[in-house]
Amino acid sequence: MKESANLCQRVYDYVREEVMTLRLRPGEKITETMLVEELHISRTPIREGLRMLARDGVVTLYPSRFAEITTFSQKDIYDLGAIRISLDVLGSRLAVFHGSNADFSRLEKLAQACAAAMSKGNFRERAQMDSDFHLALMEISGNSFLYEFQKEIYSRVQMIQVLRFSQTPKSHFGGASHEDIVAALFARDETRVVECIKSHLISFYRVDDTLPPNFFDAF
């Protein structure tokens, strides 16, 4: 049983890494036969690994035919952005009250790592560091459900980021930086934290075209 689970995870990790490094791109098709040849394992763990990838939004399954790397429409990105901004605003507000300076120092190091990845033009590492930063922020919020909700969407978030970052790897996309968010947290300034989160994410997901400026304000 453990060996089977390990093989499923191997399939999952292999395909996801191919996707996150853009060796497999949105819309490309993969088959069980292709993975058997690449990984030299049987079809059963391959099928389960593909189901795990489908659950996390990495692929779309067409049973008995193939799996397709997920393509995100502008509407998909917009919808995901609206969810993510709402969760981050709530998480950051909670972090102001529950976080310690040690917590914020850990966030600061993650912010620096993300900035370093950006300066190197390493889009894969930058996407990972960005996720690590925001998930750490959700941890600091002290709300385990909020953390799990965020974690559920991060495979999709990272795929979108990798595509955007690969096109302009050293771009900041405007808005507040991770460092600005951390500075507001250290100051225990709830209003400023919310403004930084909104500024940081709204510019990336471009949700400000149809929503009023105060839509994501603290509630």
Side-chain angles (χ1 to χ4, degrees):
M1 195 76 175
K2 184 177 179 182
E3 182 181 356
S4 175
N6 288 340
L7 290 174
C8 296
Q9 189 62 47
R10 185 179 165 202
V11 173
Y12 181 99
D13 292 342
Y14 172 79
V15 174
R16 188 170 186 276
E17 187 61 21
E18 292 291 290
V19 170
M20 297 304 291
T21 52
L22 297 180
R23 290 190 288 268
L24 283 172
R25 301 184 72 91
E28 288 191 34
K29 298 174 176 59
I30 51 176
T31 64
E32 291 178 12
T33 301
M34 289 168 56
L35 292 174
V36 167
E37 292 172 356
E38 288 284 340
L39 301 175
H40 307 291
I41 58 179
S42 68
R43 290 176 182 268
T44 300
I46 285 172
R47 286 185 191 124
E48 183 55 35
L50 288 172
R51 279 194 286 269
M52 291 163 59
L53 288 157
R55 176 201 66 199
D56 287 351
V58 180
V59 303
T60 301
L61 287 181
Y62 297 89
S64 302
R65 296 170 61 199
F66 55 81
E68 184 178 275
I69 308 305
T70 301
T71 299
F72 296 95
S73 67
Q74 284 303 312
K75 178 69 163 54
D76 293 332
I77 295 170
Y78 177 96
D79 289 346
L80 190 63
I83 292 169
R84 192 179 172 208
I85 295 164
S86 299
L87 294 177
D88 266 62
V89 165
L90 175 58
S92 63
R93 291 182 67 214
L94 289 169
V96 168
F97 297 101
H98 296 306
S100 66
N101 282 351
D103 290 327
F104 302 152
S105 293
R106 178 163 61 97
L107 272 185
E108 190 171 41
K109 289 176 182 175
L110 290 170
Q112 291 165 354
C114 191
M118 182 175 74
S119 67
K120 291 185 294 186
N122 188 329
F123 60 84
R124 170 70 177 92
E125 184 181 350
R126 182 182 175 191
Q128 183 61 56
M129 289 297 102
D130 181 84
S131 289
D132 289 349
F133 177 91
H134 287 275
L135 285 174
L137 180 59
M138 296 305 103
E139 266 190 309
I140 294 168
S141 79
N143 187 315
S144 60
F145 291 106
L146 186 57
Y147 174 83
E148 290 301 324
F149 291 154
Q150 282 277 48
K151 194 175 176 182
E152 272 188 33
I153 66 174
Y154 263 68
S155 282
R156 296 170 177 86
V157 167
Q158 284 194 20
M159 289 174 71
I160 293 166
Q161 288 178 330
V162 159
L163 284 168
R164 294 281 303 280
F165 294 161
S166 68
Q167 292 160 0
T168 49
K170 294 190 178 183
S171 295
H172 184 267
F173 294 102
S177 67
H178 289 145
E179 289 84 353
D180 295 327
I181 296 168
V182 172
L185 287 167
F186 270 120
R188 301 302 198 282
D189 188 333
E190 182 186 357
T191 301
R192 187 171 147 212
V193 168
V194 170
E195 287 305 313
C196 286
I197 287 288
K198 288 167 51 186
S199 172
H200 178 66
L201 294 174
I202 284 173
S203 59
F204 184 87
Y205 290 100
R206 299 167 181 161
V207 299
D208 49 343
D209 292 340
T210 56
L211 295 175
N214 63 345
F215 185 83
F216 295 103
D217 282 356
F219 45 84

